[in-house]
Amino acid sequence: AREQGFSFLKLDFLHAAALPAERFDPSYTRAQAMQLALRTLREAAGEETFVMGCSCPIGAAIGWVDGVRISADTNDQWASFPIPWDQTNAPGAGNAVRNSIARQAMHRRWFLNNPDCLMMGRGTGGGLSAAEVRGCATVTALSG
């Protein structure tokens, strides 16, 4: 980032560093691998670069990133599509709103909150009602 002149990095799918996997050092726990990944990214980016962590375990992010996407991925439907192993973080405006409300108090305490984008139009999924759009806009505005 420094060499290329980037002042902002959005790093997504950071949770992948903590997934069960074979590690270069088998003694590393998933948490240790996550911390190593975040420390390495922060050092490479430099303190002058704003690092936005997305899909990142929140506790692991503290101290390593400047902002965290606090919500589930949003989309143009209130209800998420079924993901059997994860019903609270699956993409959907309802999950994004719920997560943003639950994590609002973290703003400016541990990092800057990023509630994800605001979906206002009608997409291929059928779209959000006017009341759902107002709810999403209100939560986004209040989340930091």
Side-chain angles (χ1 to χ4, degrees):
R2 282 180 263 190
E3 293 172 9
Q4 298 300 317
F6 291 110
S7 60
F8 180 91
L9 294 176
K10 177 186 175 189
L11 306 174
D12 208 345
F13 300 100
L14 290 176
H15 71 280
L19 293 174
E22 186 175 320
R23 311 233 179 263
F24 73 97
D25 182 339
S27 70
Y28 271 45
T29 66
R30 292 167 55 188
Q32 289 170 317
M34 185 78 236
Q35 285 294 299
L36 176 61
L38 290 171
R39 183 178 75 231
T40 302
L41 290 167
R42 174 84 270 170
E43 290 171 357
E47 287 300 318
E48 67 280 2
T49 302
F50 188 98
V51 176
M52 177 67 67
C54 297
S55 187
C56 184
I58 290 175
I62 298 170
W64 299 112
V65 299
D66 303 295
V68 171
R69 220 258 323 284
I70 58 167
S71 73
D73 286 339
T74 193
N75 66 21
D76 66 341
Q77 299 178 66
W78 187 259
S80 63
F81 52 82
I83 297 178
W85 50 269
D86 192 350
Q87 292 301 307
T88 59
N89 288 304
N95 281 344
V97 164
R98 181 185 318 103
N99 289 357
S100 293
I101 290 170
R103 298 170 178 160
Q104 189 277 332
M106 298 175 188
H107 186 58
R108 294 197 187 276
R109 288 180 176 81
W110 292 338
F111 39 69
L112 297 179
N113 285 353
N114 173 359
D116 204 8
C117 63
L118 177 60
M119 304 293 285
M120 298 183 72
R122 295 208 180 273
T124 58
L128 299 169
S129 71
E132 290 166 339
V133 170
R134 278 192 301 277
C136 290
T138 300
V139 169
T140 297
L142 294 173
S143 68

